[in-house]
């Protein structure tokens, strides 16, 4: 796994030169009795609604700044060892081995983190949230662009790739059950890393792929997949969060506070400058900025807020039975796993972030550092016609999940134009509004009707 170390300097430069490097918040004595402490942070650069505790936070240097200020007070040189992983599972493995202090991962992996930590005598705690979607829109099932599959029911007997134990797998299991398909026997499930599953879908060796942010959006944007099922149809919250080793939290409470304070600063930056943040994350990860903005933008699928909201914790409890059925965990004491105290210390006296608002159509023109929002999809399409468009986004008319306008399924209903993430969503709407003349139209026709 790629590992990068950056340094936050304490006053004693000589100590920095002489003190050997430490790992997992270990300390070494240097010149004149000074100490170097390394804080190891596990993150997922490509899982982009963790960026305020990972990719974006690292690029902004806020954690190092907080630690440098602390170092000036206590005479310690703090270093940050950023370790990048593809999923949450290896972060949990390293945390339970005492080698990672702070990690970020999705809701289902967080539960596994809680269980493994307790089993291996390295208990962990959930201390903050990075990004969330109250309906579950961060997870999507996609198929090949030319696939004949039109709905989740069509997956019966098909090969589906996912990462077992991930939030995307949880979405798949729940969605299949709602469609009357046995998740264990009704499909052939392949447990694969996201990148492997994406390659398998492109090669035709699987029929569908269920994955988390940002894989579905990236594959759709690049024309390598189309959406089959929008996780927001479940109407169950999904989120990513920050977990910390209990021992570290006790021994280095101030450092944990620094991390959470830095995370809030990164959250402020992302919310105030979403285009700049998307460009930064794109540069660090190699993802298209347009895809990053789909999830992390001003009207993006993810809402960034560190607060441990009750509805998110309740959703975490609802996730436990799904993992138990998969025999990945036993009982999980979610209330004991969640520790609100560190964030409460850091956020004391500050205003709460606004709750997630309904997404609005959004237009990103080339060369512009700001996007334009519109009251309706028709207005967006009218503004985009003939313009030098970098990306256009529209919310699903039912779930509210933002999607690329040119990848959405469009429905014309009188003067109104509505967008849907999936063909099944559009067909269900048309079937329910037959008397109004609702009909599915192409993106090009929608653009013509708008103008």
């Amino acid at each position: 796994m790629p590992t990068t170390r950056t340094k936050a300097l304490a006053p004693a430069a000589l100590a920095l030169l002489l003190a050997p490097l430490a790992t997992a918040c270990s300390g070494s004595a240097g010149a004149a009795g000074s100490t170097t402490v390394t804080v190891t942070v596990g993150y997922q650069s490509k899982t982009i609604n963790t960026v305020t505790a990972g990719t974006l936070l690292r690029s902004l240097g806020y954690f190092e700044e907080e630690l440098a200020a602390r170092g000036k007070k206590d005479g310690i040189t703090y270093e940050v060892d950023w370790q990048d992983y593809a999923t949450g599972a290896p972060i949990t493995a390293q945390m339970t081995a005492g080698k990672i202090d702070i990690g970020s991962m999705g809701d289902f992996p967080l539960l596994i983190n809680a269980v493994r930590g307790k089993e291996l005598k390295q208990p962990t705690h959930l201390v903050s949230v990075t990004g969330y979607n109250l309906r579950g829109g961060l997870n999507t099932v996609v198929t090949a662009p030319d696939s004949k599959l039109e709905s989740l029911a069509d997956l019966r007997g098909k090969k589906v790739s996912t990462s077992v134990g991930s939030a995307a797998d949880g979405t798949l299991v729940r969605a299949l059950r709602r469609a009357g398909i046995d998740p264990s026997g009704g499909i052939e499930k392949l447990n694969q890393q996201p990148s492997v599953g994406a390659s398998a879908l492109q090669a035709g060796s699987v029929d569908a792929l269920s994955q988390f942010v940002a894989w579905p959006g990236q594959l759709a944007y690049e024309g390598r997949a189309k959406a089959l099922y929008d996780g927001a149809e479940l109407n169950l919250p999904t989120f990513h969060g920050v977990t910390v080793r209990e021992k570290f939290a006790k021994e280095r409470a101030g450092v944990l506070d620094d991390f959470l304070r830095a995370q809030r600063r990164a959250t402020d930056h992302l919310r105030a400058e979403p285009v700049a943040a998307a460009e930064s994350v794109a540069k660090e990860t190699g993802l298209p900025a347009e895809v990053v903005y789909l999830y992390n933008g001003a009207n993006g699928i993810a809402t960034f807020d560190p607060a441990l909201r009750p509805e998110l914790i309740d959703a975490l409890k609802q996730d436990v039975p799904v993992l138990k059925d998969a025999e990945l965990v036993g009982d999980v004491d979610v209330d004991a796993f969640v520790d609100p105290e560190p964030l409460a210390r850091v956020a004391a006296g500050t205003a709460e972030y606004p709750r997630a608002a309904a997404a609005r159509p959004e237009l990103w023109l080339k060369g512009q550092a700001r996007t334009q929002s519109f009251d309706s999809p028709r207005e967006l399409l009218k503004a985009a016609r003939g313009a030098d468009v970098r990306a256009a986004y529209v919310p699903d008319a039912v779930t509210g999940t933002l999607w690329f306008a040119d990848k959405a399924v469009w429905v014309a209903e009188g003067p109104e134009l509505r967008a849907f993430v999936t063909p099944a969503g559009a067909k269900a709407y048309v079937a329910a509004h037959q008397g109004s003349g609702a009909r599915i139209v192409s993106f090009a026709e929608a653009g013509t009707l708008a103008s």
Side-chain angles (χ1 to χ4, degrees):
M1 296 296 176
T3 302
T4 304
R5 175 174 285 113
T6 56
K7 297 181 179 180
L9 300 178
L14 182 60
L16 177 63
L17 294 173
L18 297 180
L21 294 177
T23 59
C25 209
S26 58
S28 329
S34 63
T35 302
T36 294
V37 168
T38 298
V39 184
T40 306
V41 179
Y43 73 112
Q44 303 171 62
S45 63
K46 295 288 180 72
T47 307
I48 56 173
N49 76 316
T50 66
V51 294
T52 54
T55 306
L56 182 63
L57 176 60
R58 174 185 156 193
S59 68
L60 293 169
Y62 289 162
F63 188 28
E64 287 81 355
E65 288 180 10
E66 296 287 344
L67 290 177
R70 180 169 298 278
K72 291 179 180 179
K73 296 176 183 178
D74 58 22
I76 293 177
T77 297
Y78 291 98
E79 297 181 345
V80 184
D81 183 5
W82 296 94
Q83 297 189 2
D84 186 8
Y85 297 88
T87 63
I91 296 176
T92 288
Q94 293 294 86
M95 291 185 78
T96 54
K99 295 181 179 180
I100 285 180
D101 301 309
I102 301 171
S104 55
M105 59 192 70
D107 39 15
F108 280 78
L110 281 168
L111 290 170
I112 296 174
N113 181 273
V115 171
R116 299 292 179 267
K118 187 175 181 180
E119 290 174 345
L120 299 173
K121 311 301 182 185
Q122 281 278 11
T124 58
H125 292 285
L126 174 65
V127 291
S128 72
V129 169
T130 55
Y132 69 88
N133 182 279
L134 291 178
R135 290 190 59 108
L138 295 168
N139 307 305
T140 311
V141 181
V142 298
T143 60
D146 58 352
S147 173
K148 302 301 182 183
L149 303 178
E150 295 186 347
S151 71
L152 205 71
D154 295 335
L155 288 182
R156 192 184 302 274
K158 303 297 185 181
K159 292 182 179 180
V160 184
S161 172
T162 191
S163 301
V164 173
S166 71
D169 182 35
T171 292
L172 177 65
V173 168
R174 283 172 162 150
L176 288 172
R177 285 175 177 166
R178 288 193 182 183
I181 300 174
D182 178 4
S184 58
I187 64 167
E188 183 179 344
K189 184 190 291 187
L190 282 73
N191 182 18
Q192 298 176 324
Q193 291 284 321
S195 59
V196 176
S199 297
L201 183 68
Q202 191 167 17
S205 56
V206 297
D207 300 290
L209 170 73
S210 181
Q211 273 302 344
F212 48 79
V213 50
W215 286 96
Q218 179 184 1
L219 294 172
Y221 175 77
E222 295 172 347
R224 295 192 287 152
K226 64 180 180 182
L228 180 73
Y229 183 83
D230 175 5
E233 293 182 41
L234 291 173
N235 199 20
L236 290 170
T238 186
F239 69 97
H240 285 67
V242 175
T243 178
V244 61
R245 289 191 301 114
E246 182 180 280
K247 184 179 179 182
F248 169 85
K250 289 180 177 178
E251 294 178 350
R252 300 286 181 184
V255 174
L256 175 58
D257 288 357
D258 290 338
F259 183 88
L260 295 175
R261 191 175 295 109
Q263 185 197 343
R264 285 182 61 87
R265 291 175 61 190
T267 303
D268 291 340
H269 173 80
L270 184 149
R271 295 180 72 122
E273 299 291 341
V275 171
E279 296 278 24
S280 174
V281 171
K283 180 180 179 181
E284 295 290 329
T285 62
L287 290 167
E290 297 85 352
V291 173
V292 178
Y293 197 84
L294 170 72
Y295 293 98
N296 295 9
N299 293 286
I301 300 174
T303 297
F304 287 86
D305 180 355
L308 296 162
R309 296 191 178 279
E311 57 266 48
L312 301 181
I313 305 307
D314 181 65
L316 200 61
K317 294 176 180 179
Q318 294 184 57
D319 293 341
V320 174
V322 179
L323 288 175
K324 288 182 71 174
D325 287 348
E327 299 183 348
L328 293 173
V329 303
D331 292 326
V332 185
D333 189 343
V334 173
D335 290 326
F337 176 53
V338 178
D339 183 5
E341 292 303 317
L343 187 61
R345 290 195 303 264
V346 169
T350 62
E352 290 186 359
Y353 290 100
R355 290 181 176 269
R360 301 176 65 199
E362 199 168 356
L363 184 63
W364 188 359
L365 298 178
K366 291 181 180 178
Q368 298 298 309
R370 298 281 177 182
T371 60
Q372 304 172 43
S373 293
F374 299 88
D375 291 331
S376 71
R378 172 180 285 277
E379 290 180 10
L380 176 137
L381 293 178
K382 187 174 181 179
R385 196 166 182 82
D388 200 5
V389 176
R390 182 167 180 180
Y393 309 94
V394 287
D396 184 282
V398 174
T399 67
T401 301
L402 209 66
W403 207 240
F404 297 107
D406 61 332
K407 308 299 182 184
V409 183
W410 287 86
V411 170
E413 184 180 13
E416 298 296 328
L417 291 168
R418 308 181 195 278
F420 296 83
V421 173
T422 67
K427 289 180 179 179
Y429 184 89
V430 169
H433 295 79
Q434 291 181 349
S436 65
R439 61 189 178 90
I440 294 176
V441 298
S442 67
F443 174 61
E445 186 177 353
T448 300
L449 291 172
S451 61

